[in-house]
Amino acid sequence: MTAAAAAETRVDAVLFDYGGVLTAPMRNSIEAWIAEEGIEPESFTATLKAWLGRDAEAGSPIHRLETGELPEAEFDAVFAAALRTRTGAPVDPDGVLRRMFARIQEDPAMWRLAADLRAAGVPVAIVSNSWGGGNLYPRERLAALFAPVIISEEVGLRKPDPAIFRLALERLGVRPERAAFIDDATPNVDGAAALGIHAIHHIDAGTTRAALRGLVPALAETPIHL
């Protein structure tokens, strides 16, 4: 990066969520799982709202799963019991969470965006709420591009808790106003923005790249990495 470009850059690091940002929308995999296993969509939506919605009680099963307090197998049992199927048959709890996310696919355009930021001289990091599947992340690939890689269950903190953002900023040595954060979940975006971080609500790769170009002028308008 040239000295002039560095002077214009408004951020010194960019934090990425993983699921729904570096991957295609999570709903694609979830909807396929619902159809395949005959889950009643209403029971899934109601469970998700009760455990993860804005009005969810602190310490819900998802909250405890994300912070590593509730083992995946125990969550699977509680989750399966909360769901209903169209036939009335019980949901198999063994590996239900992994089955739900089995069809998740990476979004190549967002991985290219992260690589292009690195090429522009801006470090990139991961701040992700894990649904008990810490070993489902492409660890080697993430480590080759992102640092630090902060997974909620491994640090005992979850978004939008300000503490997880502060941990990432501390490890990067960056002030909030000199960082950007990308997430597809509005509460997480709002949580980061409340700290003074430049928060971007991710919809698609094109609009996210355009938003970041306002913060990192050296970022290519179109992807430069294949």
Side-chain angles (χ1 to χ4, degrees), residues 39-132:
I39 307 293
E40 285 189 358
E42 297 80 7
S43 73
F44 172 78
T45 301
T47 300
L48 202 67
K49 181 178 180 180
W51 293 358
L52 193 62
R54 287 185 180 273
D55 297 325
E57 294 185 6
S60 76
I62 288 178
H63 292 177
R64 290 186 289 127
L65 177 74
E66 290 179 334
T67 56
E69 299 171 67
L70 184 64
E72 183 179 342
E74 292 183 25
F75 176 84
D76 279 347
V78 175
F79 185 42
L83 299 173
R84 298 189 305 273
T85 64
R86 297 184 186 280
T87 64
V91 175
D92 179 7
D94 188 18
V96 64
L97 195 62
R98 292 169 186 263
R99 297 199 307 275
M100 185 173 74
F101 291 136
R103 296 173 179 82
I104 289 177
Q105 297 182 335
E106 293 180 354
D107 183 346
M110 288 301 294
W111 283 83
R112 287 195 294 268
L113 173 58
D116 289 349
L117 284 165
R118 281 278 300 269
V122 178
V124 291
I126 293 290
V127 181
S128 176
N129 281 356
S130 169
W131 276 33

Side-chain angles (χ1 to χ4, degrees), residues 16-19 126-130 137 150-153 157 159 164:
F16 282 69
D17 176 34
Y18 179 72
I126 293 290
V127 181
S128 176
N129 281 356
S130 169
Y137 291 87
I150 296 177
I151 309 299
S152 64
E153 67 176 322
L157 301 167
K159 299 174 294 184
I164 196 169

Side-chain angles (χ1 to χ4, degrees), residues 133-216:
N135 58 348
L136 298 180
Y137 291 87
R139 294 290 186 149
E140 291 186 7
R141 192 171 180 208
L142 286 173
L145 183 57
F146 298 91
V149 175
I150 296 177
I151 309 299
S152 64
E153 67 176 322
E154 297 172 0
V155 298
L157 301 167
R158 61 181 294 275
K159 299 174 294 184
D161 184 343
I164 196 169
F165 296 115
R166 292 193 182 106
L167 176 63
L169 296 173
E170 179 182 336
R171 291 187 180 180
L172 286 161
V174 173
R175 302 191 310 274
E177 67 273 15
R178 295 292 301 179
F181 171 66
I182 306 165
D183 202 299
D184 61 320
T186 302
N188 299 337
V189 172
D190 292 345
L195 288 177
I197 297 171
H198 298 275
I200 298 169
H201 185 201
H202 177 70
I203 304 298
D204 57 61
T207 56
T208 294
R209 179 178 285 267
L212 281 170
R213 289 196 72 241
L215 302 172
V216 185

